[in-house]
Amino acid sequence: MTSASKRAGMTLYSEKTDVYSHQVRIVLAEKGIPHDIENIPQGTISEDLLEHNSRGSIPTLVDREVTLFDAHIIMEYLDERFPHPPLMPVYPMQRGKYRLTMHTIKNDWYSLIDIVNKDPESKEGKKALTQLTSDILAVAPVFAANTFFMSDEFSLIDCYVAPLLWRMTSLGVEFPGNGGKQIKAYMNRVFQRDSFMQSVGGAAPKHLMDDKD
């Protein structure tokens, strides 16, 4: 494997089924940022990754002399470094509202999927998945109120929500009733988006930012 330090561009250390890695892959695809992806098989150690991040955690982004880990930090960095298309609102009050929503999703929903991912077949995993499904159904009207989550513009919030729903569908989760229809309509819109398809390997990457520094 070629060390990322020997490359001139950007490298994302990612795991294909990791929801946090998936968040970052969507942002990279949405903005058309040229990058390499080093897929780290689950349960393995990458010496190349350890050169940049002693924790060996994923996702890890290496952008020339900058190394970042933690999906939220990486996503905000990418949105600021490559401002078009913007994935956060311009106005501070609305940005604050978006950040609070992402914080809530991370604390409430992602804490449950973390339990599920440890062992989906365990009693704790099944209980967490049932709770997560119920919590998402409880806010089904939010999915129907706009084209995307809280907005008619695709945003970083969708980069939080979409990987979570994708993981839940892979676990066989069904969303019943009218609320389920609203959530499924949202999933259809997002899952068919070019950037999402690229993030799961369903389309060729677009390099729209080659002339950006």
Side-chain angles (χ1 to χ4, degrees), residues 2 26 40 58 80 86-87 113 120 122 148 176 181 183:
T2 303
I26 295 175
I40 310 297
I58 54 170
E80 292 173 358
L87 295 179
I113 202 65
S122 69
F148 299 108
K181 291 180 181 178
I183 295 168

Side-chain angles (χ1 to χ4, degrees), residues 39-98:
N39 286 309
I40 310 297
Q42 193 173 39
T44 65
I45 297 174
S46 166
E47 296 297 332
D48 191 18
L49 172 57
L50 290 173
E51 289 182 17
H52 303 283
N53 175 2
S54 61
R55 298 182 180 184
S57 60
I58 54 170
T60 291
L61 182 78
V62 179
D63 183 15
R64 300 176 184 175
E65 72 280 3
V66 176
T67 298
L68 300 172
F69 44 93
D70 183 279
H72 182 79
I73 292 172
I74 295 172
M75 289 192 292
E76 289 220 351
Y77 168 78
L78 291 171
D79 195 41
E80 292 173 358
R81 187 174 179 326
F82 300 91
H84 302 290
L87 295 179
M88 286 287 279
V90 173
Y91 299 106
M93 289 182 66
Q94 196 172 6
R95 289 173 73 90
K97 184 177 180 181
Y98 274 43

Side-chain angles (χ1 to χ4, degrees), residues 22 26 162-163 166 190-191 193-201:
H22 193 180
I26 295 175
W166 181 258
V190 174
F191 292 174
R193 193 173 177 84
D194 285 349
S195 60
F196 189 90
M197 292 179 66
Q198 292 170 37
S199 74
V200 295

Side-chain angles (χ1 to χ4, degrees), residues 18-181:
D18 175 59
V19 287
Y20 299 97
S21 298
H22 193 180
Q23 292 174 354
V24 179
R25 293 199 304 270
I26 295 175
V27 175
L28 288 165
E30 186 70 26
K31 291 177 174 288
I33 302 169
H35 64 283
D36 293 313
I37 290 184
E38 292 290 344
N39 286 309
I40 310 297
Q42 193 173 39
T44 65
I45 297 174
S46 166
E47 296 297 332
D48 191 18
L49 172 57
L50 290 173
E51 289 182 17
H52 303 283
N53 175 2
S54 61
R55 298 182 180 184
S57 60
I58 54 170
T60 291
L61 182 78
V62 179
D63 183 15
R64 300 176 184 175
E65 72 280 3
V66 176
T67 298
L68 300 172
F69 44 93
D70 183 279
H72 182 79
I73 292 172
I74 295 172
M75 289 192 292
E76 289 220 351
Y77 168 78
L78 291 171
D79 195 41
E80 292 173 358
R81 187 174 179 326
F82 300 91
H84 302 290
L87 295 179
M88 286 287 279
V90 173
Y91 299 106
M93 289 182 66
Q94 196 172 6
R95 289 173 73 90
K97 184 177 180 181
Y98 274 43
R99 286 192 172 107
L100 183 59
T101 299
M102 289 185 287
H103 177 76
T104 301
I105 291 172
K106 181 178 179 179
N107 282 0
D108 294 353
W109 293 356
Y110 271 81
S111 62
L112 290 170
I113 202 65
D114 286 343
I115 295 172
V116 174
N117 285 335
K118 288 179 181 178
D119 186 354
E121 297 303 318
S122 69
K123 180 180 179 181
E124 293 78 10
K126 291 179 179 179
K127 180 179 179 181
L129 189 58
T130 298
Q131 181 64 53
L132 178 58
T133 304
S134 176
D135 289 353
I136 291 177
L137 279 168
V139 298
V142 178
F143 289 93
N146 301 283
T147 305
F148 299 108
F149 201 87
M150 291 180 58
S151 174
D152 287 326
E153 300 293 331
F154 190 86
S155 75
L156 283 187
I157 297 177
D158 297 291
C159 297
Y160 267 73
V161 175
L164 185 69
L165 293 174
W166 181 258
R167 174 59 177 153
M168 292 174 74
T169 59
S170 75
L171 292 169
V173 171
E174 294 285 344
F175 294 99
N178 185 57
K181 291 180 181 178

